[in-house]
Amino acid sequence: MKTNTLAAAAAAALGLAASGATARWHEADGDGATIRYSTVTGYFLQDEPTTNPSGFDYAAWNFGLLNRTYPTDGWGQSHQTQWQRFARWVNYLNGHCRNDGRTRYKVLVMGRHGQGWHNVAESYYGTPAWNCYWAELDGNGTATWADPLLTAQGAAEASRANAYFASRLHDHGMPAFDSYYSSPLKRCIQTADGTFSSLRLPPGSAPFRPTIKELFREGISIHTCDRRSTRGAIRAFAPASFRFEEGFTEEDELWQGGAPRSRGETEAHQRARSKAVLDDVFTHDDGTWLSVTSHSGEIASLLAVLGHRAFSLGTGQIIPVLVRAEVARGGQTPTTTAPGFTFEATCTAPPVTSIAGQGCVCSTTSSSGGIPAVAASATSTPSPRQM
Ligand SMILES: *[C@@H]1O[C@H](CO)[C@@H](O)[C@H](O)[C@H]1NC(C)=O
Ligand SMILES: *[C@@H]1O[C@H](CO)[C@@H](O)[C@H](O)[C@H]1NC(C)=O
């Protein structure tokens, strides 16, 4: 697929998508309407500038929900939990603000997949060798990291999330999700399934029927861990409860790694398609409590679009965000002239090293893509990537 058709593909996904709870947000749908997102701070530890993301564990902090009061406290039964009181406040915000139909609040709970084989391999080979050589292969004969599966540790991280959600739902009054979404990459499907499929949901809750959405996938680098499997292979792999969004293609039409193209997604492109998938979800899903299982790089991109501070997640970590979405009229979506994908140089054998801002330093006989053997061009730096 040519680069200039990618935006069209994203737009097609945007128009065609179907999700769990479907009720179109008409005010957001008209000509010239754009949605502006912001993170409503003051509710979760993770959006406070003083919280250190490094080593932060959702399970030590009730997902980060702050102990506080809300203006709607005391309107319902007494002795309600922090989660129940927060949920009532969010309902109030939605009820009140929907009078003009132009503002919606959602609680977006985003989970990074558990540890995958690509995570292990990057640690094993070291990031320079991983980026410049090994990540472009499907595996090394012992381990496979093309659309990789979870390791035992990764599966345990999903089980831990399962137990923690069970305790929140049953002992702390946290609402169950209205809808569930997953990246199409297998490590996320496994993580979402391990986290939610055996969870006993309160009576009346929406069932766990996740929607696989193309654009919740990881940043589309030239690494094989960012190339998804075919729709048929995903269908055979995923439990029956998983559904594809409408328009989900058989082949991965976005990934451009591999010789001779060797093109990875730019940050600007990833931001734009992160906005597109949020617009899709906010326009078509009437639910308030949404679960998204995705990746560290993609969740970082979503957080940026939501105006949330940077908050990087370890494998299996989970972050909730109270999102305010407002319809703005007359705002034209800016058209970007920046390239969506750019060439990324690699080596044809394990590299000597890589230098930040310069690229891979291949051993003298082993560069690819017409790049001089010793150092790749400055624009093609495979910087340490998040996955
Ligand atoms: C809220 O209070 C509970 C009980 O005192 C405590 O365990 C928890 O860590 C507090 N949460 C935060 C985010 O401070
Ligand atoms: C392949 O990579 C894994 C780490 O992902 C490592 O444990 C294993 O030893 C490697 N196999 C070979 C043949 O180098």
Side-chain angles (χ1 to χ4, degrees):
M1 180 181 276
K2 293 198 191 80
T3 304
N4 60 6
T5 60
L6 290 166
L14 179 65
L16 290 170
S19 33
T22 49
R24 292 182 80 84
W25 187 8
H26 295 290
E27 288 80 359
D29 235 9
D31 279 348
T34 52
I35 303 178
R36 295 209 182 113
Y37 297 97
S38 52
T39 295
V40 191
T41 59
Y43 297 94
F44 292 103
L45 266 173
Q46 292 92 327
D47 55 51
E48 312 245 292
T50 48
T51 303
N52 182 3
S54 170
F56 187 91
D57 181 14
Y58 67 85
W61 296 102
N62 197 19
F63 284 118
L65 185 67
L66 292 171
N67 293 318
R68 53 162 290 168
T69 60
Y70 311 96
T72 45
D73 282 356
W75 287 19
Q77 302 133 290
S78 50
H79 308 304
Q80 287 208 313
T81 67
Q82 190 71 52
W83 281 108
Q84 288 166 324
R85 290 186 293 113
F86 174 62
R88 174 143 25 85
W89 173 234
V90 176
N91 280 343
Y92 169 80
L93 289 174
N94 273 326
H96 181 71
C97 296
R98 267 189 205 184
N99 291 341
D100 69 358
R102 296 166 73 103
T103 307
R104 283 188 175 184
Y105 293 86
K106 292 187 191 294
V107 183
L108 219 57
V109 180
M110 296 182 279
R112 181 185 178 191
H113 61 79
Q115 184 194 64
W117 285 105
H118 62 309
N119 300 124
V120 175
E122 179 171 0
S123 305
Y124 177 77
Y125 289 110
T127 296
W130 171 251
N131 283 335
C132 297
Y133 179 70
W134 294 100
E136 283 73 62
L137 309 182
D138 286 355
N140 65 1
T142 325
T144 300
W145 52 75
D147 194 3
L149 303 181
L150 297 183
T151 63
Q153 181 190 312
E157 286 164 346
S159 300
R160 181 171 180 261
N162 172 271
Y164 200 71
F165 272 112
S167 75
R168 295 309 100 177
L169 264 54
H170 299 297
D171 306 334
H172 294 266
M174 182 181 183
F177 291 107
D178 297 313
S179 323
Y180 302 81
Y181 296 96
S182 175
S183 153
L185 291 152
K186 287 178 176 174
R187 56 194 181 275
C188 287
I189 291 172
Q190 284 185 299
T191 300
D193 188 60
T195 302
F196 297 112
S197 67
S198 68
L199 196 58
R200 195 166 46 81
L201 296 171
S205 308
F208 174 61
R209 292 204 62 199
T211 303
I212 297 172
K213 291 190 81 67
E214 184 84 272
L215 299 184
F216 278 131
R217 65 192 288 172
E218 182 57 303
I220 310 163
S221 79
I222 63 174
H223 298 179
T224 61
C225 59
D226 295 329
R227 182 184 66 209
R228 73 159 165 87
S229 298
T230 61
R231 178 182 174 130
I234 297 169
R235 180 68 284 164
F237 177 79
S241 58
F242 285 73
R243 301 172 295 180
F244 292 102
E245 65 183 336
E246 267 181 63
F248 191 87
T249 56
E250 176 61 21
E251 300 294 330
D252 182 353
E253 296 183 0
L254 298 177
W255 190 76
Q256 299 183 43
R261 291 180 299 178
S262 195
R263 287 176 179 274
E265 185 179 33
T266 62
E267 186 180 86
H269 188 273
Q270 189 177 3
R271 287 279 168 89
R273 57 100 169 167
S274 298
K275 167 89 165 54
V277 72
L278 286 172
D279 286 354
D280 177 359
V281 167
F282 274 73
T283 306
H284 297 94
D285 189 333
D286 199 26
T288 299
W289 290 77
L290 309 183
S291 161
V292 176
T293 304
S294 183
H295 307 260
S296 66
E298 180 55 20
I299 293 173
S301 178
L302 292 164
L303 288 175
V305 171
L306 296 172
H308 193 283
R309 60 163 294 201
F311 200 95
S312 71
L313 302 178
T315 53
Q317 281 293 313
I318 299 170
I319 183 169
V321 181
L322 176 59
V323 178
R324 175 183 163 98
E326 265 177 295
V327 176
R329 290 224 172 262
Q332 232 4 322
T333 313
T335 45
T336 174
T337 50
F341 283 68
T342 52
F343 181 76
E344 293 188 11
T346 57
C347 306
T348 56
V352 178
T353 187
S354 73
I355 300 172
Q358 291 180 38
C360 303
V361 181
C362 303
S363 59
T364 47
T365 55
S366 64
S367 69
S368 70
I371 298 300
V374 174
S377 71
T379 53
S380 56
T381 310
S383 52
R385 279 190 180 267
Q386 298 182 307
M387 286 164 286

